[in-house]
Amino acid sequence: MSKQREPLVTNIFTADPSAHVFNDKIYIYPSHDLPHDGEDNDNGDEYQMQDYHILSMDNLDADCVDNGEALHMNDVPWVRDQMWAPDVAYKNGKYYLFFPARDKEGIFRLGVAVSDKPEGPFKPEDNCIEGSFSIDPASFVDDDGTVYVYNGGLWGGQLEKWQTRTFDPNGTEPDKDAPAYGPVCGIMNEDMKSYKVKPVEIKILDEDGNPIKAGDEERRYFEGPWMHKYNGLYYLSYSTGTTHFIVYATSENPMGPFTYRGKILEPVIGWTTHHSIVEYHGKWYLFYHDCELSGGINHRRTVKYTELEYNADGTIKTISPYDHK
Ligand code: FUB
């Protein structure tokens, strides 16, 4: 029976799914939402995650398995709280889990933890990745083995506070007519624990080659980047945050500049939207989350997937998440 657009697990709340295929199985690296009665705010204080559980499916019709706790914040010396959206990369026989969390000063950084198995458990490094900042790491291993890590998120994700590349607690979003802030991308060293190239901003342009403006909230970058390659072209997809779309831009270079191309996913139930895109057995799939199961509680999210289709010109068909109901 097809599991498309249905909750993949219901024993825990899960969000921000980063899906990968390892050993012909699907592995999903989500956030683990913890229920509480606190209020939502623009700082994301409601997202009080403390650990990671890796999900897996033998195939896309099989039951989704929760493989249990793979990493807890109490085992990561530099972390204070809020272990948000993670991702993983496979390199040289090991799996590297990249994750964001607040350090002891309350500043979001990226950490890395290593395992021999895709489902963990993962052993963390004692310190965060030097030079890392903000949230939502998405790793991409290119055909030549280069490992790129894209990340960044506005508001609670603190991206606007890092525009001088030192933490400025008073940093704000640009004026509406100024270019929007893009995500950043760093290139990992062979050890996968340090940057070979420190994070640089990725530019996103409109169809005329002009930067997308900060006031263009249906197209500008907010958080949740993902990178995939289709027919040799690099696709950068991301959440527009305040307007709740997943959109995408393409480039012939993984570091951009990228040109905005369109919408992938219409808004889901709940404020946040966050996704990944993966190929499995010759078809493409979008993994995403919504708050349908919890009746719209923003920090009780559930991971789902659905097929993603391309048009002949390489554009992606926009998905309406509840059209099938
Ligand atoms: O899960 C916490 C935050 O919510 C993520 O980092 C964002 O992408 C949003 O989904």
Side-chain angles (χ1 to χ4, degrees):
M1 203 181 84
S2 174
K3 311 253 181 228
Q4 292 206 39
R5 304 193 185 191
E6 296 297 329
L8 288 182
V9 292
T10 55
N11 62 314
I12 54 173
F13 288 109
T14 54
D16 310 326
S18 295
H20 292 270
V21 176
F22 298 125
N23 310 320
D24 202 40
K25 284 174 64 168
I26 300 105
Y27 288 88
I28 305 154
Y29 299 80
S31 302
H32 174 197
D33 280 350
L34 291 182
H36 60 78
D37 295 327
E39 289 193 355
D40 294 1
N41 61 30
D42 287 350
N43 202 37
D45 291 340
E46 64 272 33
Y47 300 112
Q48 285 297 337
M49 298 79 107
Q50 299 186 354
D51 67 359
Y52 296 114
H53 287 224
I54 315 307
L55 312 178
S56 58
M57 300 168 82
D58 284 346
N59 59 65
L60 283 169
D61 293 324
D63 285 342
C64 188
V65 175
D66 171 3
N67 292 285
E69 188 176 282
L71 179 67
H72 193 282
M73 68 177 193
N74 291 348
D75 297 321
V76 192
W78 64 268
V79 167
R80 187 186 79 184
D81 57 11
Q82 292 195 297
M83 284 179 124
W84 285 9
D87 191 17
V88 80
Y90 176 72
K91 178 93 176 167
N92 299 333
K94 294 200 184 296
Y95 298 85
Y96 295 87
L97 185 76
F98 297 104
F99 60 94
R102 285 185 192 265
D103 67 13
K104 304 293 183 195
E105 273 85 50
I107 297 174
F108 271 109
R109 305 278 187 175
L110 303 185
V112 62
V114 190
S115 179
D116 293 327
K117 294 186 290 182
E119 71 273 25
F122 286 87
K123 185 174 180 322
E125 290 295 293
D126 285 349
N127 297 305
C128 65
I129 300 172
E130 197 188 331
S132 66
F133 56 86
S134 197
I135 59 165
D136 287 355
S139 55
F140 172 72
V141 185
D142 209 348
D143 302 331
D144 65 359
T146 306
V147 181
Y148 300 86
V149 175
Y150 300 83
N151 79 288
L154 296 175
W155 295 12
Q158 303 176 335
L159 184 60
E160 57 272 59
K161 300 185 191 309
W162 282 98
Q163 296 305 311
T164 59
R165 296 301 179 257
T166 55
F167 185 76
D168 171 8
N170 300 315
T172 56
E173 285 179 80
D175 290 341
K176 290 201 177 311
D177 285 334
Y181 296 148
V184 294
C185 180
I187 298 177
M188 304 312 292
N189 273 318
E190 272 299 299
D191 68 2
M192 295 288 278
K193 296 171 182 171
S194 58
Y195 286 123
K196 179 173 168 190
V197 175
K198 290 227 166 97
V200 293
E201 185 176 13
I202 298 293
K203 304 259 182 259
I204 304 173
L205 311 176
D206 66 16
E207 58 282 9
D208 298 322
N210 300 313
I212 299 274
K213 292 183 175 159
D216 187 351
E217 294 186 30
E218 289 209 359
R219 299 195 295 177
R220 67 94 171 77
Y221 180 82
F222 189 91
E223 63 185 2
W226 186 258
M227 174 57 59
H228 77 280
K229 205 171 176 179
Y230 176 73
N231 284 346
L233 197 60
Y234 296 90
Y235 286 66
L236 171 70
S237 40
Y238 54 92
S239 164
T240 61
T242 50
T243 51
H244 318 288
F245 294 106
I246 298 289
V247 300
Y248 72 107
T250 60
S251 176
E252 288 176 5
N253 187 319
M255 301 296 278
F258 285 83
T259 303
Y260 179 88
R261 299 294 292 277
K263 293 187 170 94
I264 295 178
L265 183 65
E266 302 278 359
V268 294
I269 296 168
W271 199 95
T272 65
T273 185
H274 190 124
H275 75 300
S276 60
I277 295 169
V278 68
E279 185 180 16
Y280 184 69
H281 290 187
K283 288 186 169 187
W284 288 85
Y285 296 91
L286 177 80
F287 283 74
Y288 63 102
H289 70 228
D290 73 6
C291 302
E292 187 177 26
L293 189 67
S294 67
I297 300 175
N298 283 330
H299 66 278
R300 297 183 195 186
R301 300 170 288 182
T302 308
V303 168
K304 301 178 173 180
Y305 82 87
T306 190
E307 191 173 343
L308 174 146
E309 294 176 290
Y310 298 88
N311 296 303
D313 63 358
T315 53
I316 294 175
K317 294 184 183 175
T318 307
I319 296 166
S320 300
Y322 307 106
D323 260 7
H324 60 300
K325 300 222 160 164

